[in-house]
Amino acid sequence: MRILNVNHSLDPVTGGGTAERTFQLSRHLAVLGHSCTVLTAETGMTPTRRAALEGCRIVALPVLSERFHIPKAGQKEIATLVGEADIVHLMNHWTLLNAIVYRAARRLKKPYVVCPAGALVIFGRSRILKKLYNSAVGFELIRRAHAHIAIATNEIDQFANYGVAPDRITTIPNGIDPKDYQIFDIAKFRSRVGLGDAPYVLFVGRLNPIKGPDLLLRAFRNVAPVFKEYHLVYAGPDGGMKASLEETSAREGLRERVHFIGYVGGAAKSAAYHGASFVAIPSRQEAMSIVVLEAGICGRPVLMTDQCGFPEVGRVDGGKIVSATEKGIEEGLRDMIRNERGRDSMGERMRRHVEKHYLWDVIAQNYNSLFLKVLQNSNTRATHTGG
């Protein structure tokens, strides 16, 4: 099968969860023997990133704007790629690249699948631009897709707002590759951050309002006088909030206990997870957090809000789910810190659950089955219509 995987960014630093999902899906589809082409922007496509996609063809377009990922050119090249593919997979939603590929797929009568990965909701900045995008192309792009992928059940209602019935939606969650988290040096990480032997709560993600780092900081401020030994580590790139978060931590006398270490990857990221007492995911809105899988595969329990699309945490007793409010997160911090003896058991339950249900080997097979079904249905329609 010739698959064209499309996402506006594969940048591991700024690309977020959709970049990681596209990256992992592409390399695992290649392992299954498919001819997988990745169409993306050149931003963040380092030699290391390219080498990790061995077996995939990578087409990385230059861009006019890194914020909006507007391709400089390449429409003919995009049309050629779409024409060569058996099926097209569009990741994310608010991107000009998706719109261009969609138009080409319609013109060339190629089946395409959409996976917005939580991006259907108009949230955060550029609300007017997002509404204009939907009016111009977004609504029809979603409605006309040959298949629709939700990464969690909480996306089904979001699809409904675009006119997509639940029976047209296939849920395929995010996945994780255990091999990416097997090499780590906790002592080296602690030394680098300046943690000493102090226990710490870990946040991983962009410092952006949708991720809720400010909610976590205010909650931590409230419990810090009681749990004086605990530190808070923010691992992730600045999404516009770093300065205000640093100002708050300094004003509250927490400068020495709150650490902003920027993006971490590879062994350092693995060490950050393995060394944490637990992982906090304070998101205000999210389809399905990849961070919860990363924490789980490292055997760490999680404190997460009820907006993260992963209710299994409560069912398997792998941590604690709270409301996406300062008070809810504060209560969760108190409970998780006090439950020192039970946290290792929580983490072990999370590890077993993630290994059983969320490895990329299984997720890629689910994609494979869906793509084959779409192609079969597309061929059947073409035969019946004389195409």
Side-chain angles (χ1 to χ4, degrees), residues 96-142:
L96 183 58
L97 182 59
N98 276 18
I100 295 171
V101 173
Y102 159 69
R103 296 296 192 199
R106 290 282 295 173
R107 187 171 64 253
L108 297 169
K109 298 182 180 180
K110 291 287 183 176
Y112 73 96
V113 176
V114 295
C115 178
L120 291 178
V121 177
I122 296 177
F123 186 96
R125 64 183 183 177
S126 305
R127 291 172 183 260
I128 294 176
L129 287 177
K130 289 176 180 177
K131 289 179 180 178
L132 291 172
Y133 178 88
N134 269 349
S135 296
V137 68
F139 277 117
E140 66 176 77
L141 184 158
I142 296 297

Side-chain angles (χ1 to χ4, degrees), residues 189-322:
F189 174 78
R190 284 183 167 278
S191 176
R192 170 193 163 189
V193 177
L195 288 164
D197 295 327
Y200 65 92
V201 180
L202 178 67
F203 169 98
V204 179
R206 287 177 293 121
L207 303 182
N208 180 280
I210 198 170
K211 300 295 185 180
D214 53 323
L215 296 177
L216 176 60
L217 182 57
R218 293 200 299 269
F220 183 75
R221 170 198 62 190
N222 297 340
V223 306
V226 179
F227 304 103
K228 298 180 184 297
E229 73 277 22
Y230 271 81
H231 288 226
L232 175 59
V233 175
Y234 284 96
D238 185 14
M241 298 188 74
K242 183 181 179 183
S244 64
L245 293 169
E246 288 180 326
E247 181 182 344
T248 299
S249 64
R251 185 175 64 248
E252 299 295 335
L254 295 171
R255 189 192 299 272
E256 302 301 318
R257 294 173 59 189
V258 179
H259 310 265
F260 299 92
I261 65 173
Y263 169 79
V264 291
K269 183 178 183 180
S270 180
Y273 276 116
H274 281 93
S277 296
F278 58 94
V279 177
I281 312 171
S283 298
R284 288 181 167 93
Q285 191 273 316
E286 195 158 356
M288 179 193 172
S289 172
I290 287 180
V291 172
V292 71
L293 298 181
E294 294 174 339
I297 207 66
C298 295
R300 294 294 84 201
V302 296
L303 166 64
M304 59 183 285
T305 70
D306 54 11
Q307 300 301 307
C308 293
F310 207 98
E312 297 102 302
V313 167
R315 292 200 292 269
V316 303
D317 192 18
K320 190 173 181 64
I321 300 177
V322 298

Side-chain angles (χ1 to χ4, degrees), residues 5-25:
N5 252 350
V6 183
N7 191 21
H8 72 289
S9 174
L10 258 66
D11 189 339
V13 179
T14 63
T18 59
E20 180 66 13
R21 184 178 173 103
T22 305
F23 170 78
Q24 295 287 0
L25 174 63

Side-chain angles (χ1 to χ4, degrees), residues 6 12 17 69 76 85 131 135 148 153 156 162-163 189 194 196 210 213 235 243 283 319 324 338 346 364 370 375:
V6 183
H69 291 89
K76 289 184 178 179
K131 289 179 180 178
S135 296
H148 306 78
T153 55
I156 294 175
Y162 286 72
F189 174 78
I210 198 170
S283 298
R338 285 172 177 150
M346 289 181 182
L370 177 63
L375 287 175

